[in-house]
Amino acid sequence: MSGLNFEQAPAPSHPLRFLLSALAWGAIAGIWVAWSGPEILVSRWAPATIVLVHLLTLGVLGNAMVGSLIQFLPVAAGSPLPGSRYAPVVHLALNCGIACLLSAIGFHASVLAGVAVFLLAGTLAAFAVAALIGLLRGSGRTPPRMGIGMALAAILTNVVLGIAMLGIRVGWWGSPAHSLVDLHAALGIVGWVIGLIGAVGGITLPMLQGTRAIPRPAAIVWLTVLALTLLTAIGSSIGLFPDGARTVLALPVALLSGAVLFLQWKSPHRRNPTLRRFWAVGSACLLAAVSVAVASPGPWPFDRPILVGALLLGAGLPFLVLGMTLEIMGFLTWIEMRRRVPRGTRIPGVGSLLPEPGKKRLLVSHCLAATTLIVSVAYPPLARIAGLFVALAYVATFRSAWSCWRDGIAFAASHRPAST
């Protein structure tokens, strides 16, 4: 893998704990849907639905994003992360904060809300600042570093908005403002997740999927569109632009998903076929979410935002993250094996640590789960079955990821020289 600086890689256990936690939160999200039943798919304002949204955005996507950055910044972006040795503390605080936030939302517990602000908001802000410092000191390619920096700025801003939304939710102050809720969602999903995937994809698409390299001018155009889109969303939320201006948020999502599908179609060298399928399915779901979001407002036989959320958070973005998680697990295991065995020892290749047939089975299980979840929006009685399928798919993925790591450690232990 030319262009990767494995000497700068952190201890593989640091990103590993975040990636495994993302899969665990995905299983919890499925259990939550199965337990809540049809009412979770009726309105975006229902407490159970708000909990589900944050299970997916913070538990699944948040852990995956933070864990991936811990590995990606020093290895691929030439930007070592300051204080990376504190990753276990960050992981513990982040996930305890998520648990407190979900409890505060579900049960209106103001005490837990305060703990969530301290743990979750404080951890995300500290991590974002540390990553920004790493980017400023880094020497990697400029467009990816700029894109990551923009995503980190979005999450910093969103931390402040999140505190405000939580305070409204538990009755600390004010009354709900839909424009701020929409801005909170825009900065979190479009600014943080889409922005970060777009920046990282500029490197990983050619490297891992065999697509053509993304030209620098195209990357600059993408960054400009993303920045203008987020500024428009902020302006719309404070009344500078009409409400219709918020539809521009669909543009970066459409550009990213359309570019992925086009680059895959024109790939000169096709690599990692299951990863390509994960990203193809995810991109198709993102395009479907955009189409529903910008379609005529009605009448719809169900809550349209729920369908957009199911396509976006239940299928599209998780598919992109899941595909990369399976690839990263192989790299992390390979790096750990390389560190543990004596020099000159032949170790299995990255591709053999988590074989393609197993990845294909996981892809099928997640496709079944996502399809059932999306259909449940139109037919809510399927919600409990959909939740069960989602939970089983994430449990199977967790099991495969953990087995990959465990087998790699066992191989290293069996080739360790005997002590004298």
Side-chain angles (χ1 to χ4, degrees):
M1 290 293 174
S2 59
L4 296 182
N5 187 358
F6 288 111
E7 294 181 358
Q8 294 286 342
S13 61
H14 289 349
L16 171 76
R17 65 186 76 237
F18 289 93
L19 299 179
L20 291 178
S21 294
L23 300 177
W25 282 114
I28 293 171
I31 294 170
W32 179 254
V33 173
W35 184 77
S36 300
E39 61 269 20
I40 203 171
L41 301 174
V42 174
S43 170
R44 64 182 289 204
W45 305 111
T49 308
I50 297 174
V51 169
L52 176 61
V53 167
H54 287 85
L55 272 168
L56 295 171
T57 54
L58 291 173
V60 178
L61 298 176
N63 269 289
M65 298 290 102
V66 173
S68 297
L69 274 180
I70 289 174
Q71 180 73 13
F72 184 86
L73 284 174
V75 173
S79 304
L81 182 67
S84 60
R85 64 183 180 276
Y86 298 112
V89 177
V90 173
H91 171 262
L92 180 62
L94 176 68
N95 286 280
C96 287
I98 292 171
C100 289
L101 174 66
L102 297 175
S103 300
I105 293 173
F107 303 105
H108 298 275
S110 58
V111 174
L112 288 177
V115 177
V117 168
F118 176 74
L119 290 177
L120 179 57
T123 300
L124 283 175
F127 176 81
V129 169
L132 284 170
I133 292 173
L135 288 171
L136 291 174
R137 294 175 177 173
S139 58
R141 291 163 48 190
T142 300
R145 289 165 58 214
M146 289 176 59
I148 295 171
M150 194 179 302
L152 292 168
I155 196 61
L156 272 174
T157 307
N158 219 28
V159 165
V160 177
L161 281 174
I163 295 172
M165 295 297 98
L166 182 59
I168 292 170
R169 182 75 190 172
V170 299
W172 287 344
W173 52 68
S175 58
H178 289 185
S179 60
L180 289 181
V181 174
D182 291 342
L183 180 60
H184 181 56
L187 290 176
I189 295 174
V190 179
W192 167 236
V193 182
I194 293 293
L196 187 58
I197 289 176
V200 171
I203 294 177
T204 59
L205 277 167
M207 184 178 298
L208 299 179
Q209 300 190 35
T211 71
R212 297 185 185 279
I214 298 174
R216 181 186 175 91
I220 297 299
V221 169
W222 153 256
L223 292 173
T224 303
V225 169
L226 181 62
L228 292 176
T229 297
L230 295 177
L231 290 174
T232 301
I234 294 171
S236 178
S237 69
I238 60 177
L240 294 180
F241 305 114
D243 288 344
R246 296 175 193 168
T247 58
V248 301
L249 289 167
L251 184 57
V253 183
L255 284 176
L256 174 67
S257 49
V260 168
L261 293 173
F262 178 79
L263 288 169
Q264 287 187 336
W265 177 42
K266 294 291 187 177
S267 296
H269 310 287
R270 298 175 183 268
R271 305 188 188 105
N272 299 311
T274 307
L275 172 63
R276 291 171 60 90
R277 294 187 185 106
F278 264 108
W279 274 56
V281 173
S283 297
C285 290
L286 292 181
L287 285 177
V290 166
S291 300
V292 174
V294 301
S296 173
W300 289 73
F302 42 79
D303 194 330
R304 183 170 62 156
I306 294 292
L307 178 58
V308 174
L311 288 166
L312 194 67
L313 299 176
L317 294 175
F319 270 89
L320 303 184
V321 168
L322 286 164
M324 282 303 301
T325 295
L326 294 175
E327 296 302 318
I328 293 173
M329 281 302 307
F331 279 110
L332 295 179
T333 304
W334 185 87
I335 294 171
E336 185 66 17
M337 293 167 65
R338 185 77 280 166
R339 290 184 173 194
R340 294 191 180 211
V341 302
R343 287 185 176 273
T345 303
R346 175 177 290 185
I347 62 176
V350 173
S352 65
L353 296 174
L354 223 168
E356 287 294 319
K359 295 178 187 176
K360 290 178 182 178
R361 288 191 292 270
L362 295 175
L363 173 62
V364 171
S365 68
H366 281 285
C367 284
L368 175 62
T371 301
T372 311
L373 183 65
I374 293 167
V375 173
S376 297
V377 178
Y379 187 65
L382 276 179
R384 296 190 190 278
I385 296 176
L388 180 61
F389 284 170
V390 170
L392 290 175
Y394 274 98
V395 167
T397 308
F398 183 99
R399 183 175 178 274
S400 293
W402 178 249
S403 296
C404 173
W405 176 261
R406 181 196 60 202
D407 293 345
I409 299 303
F411 176 91
S414 67
H415 288 77
R416 190 176 299 157
S419 57
T420 56

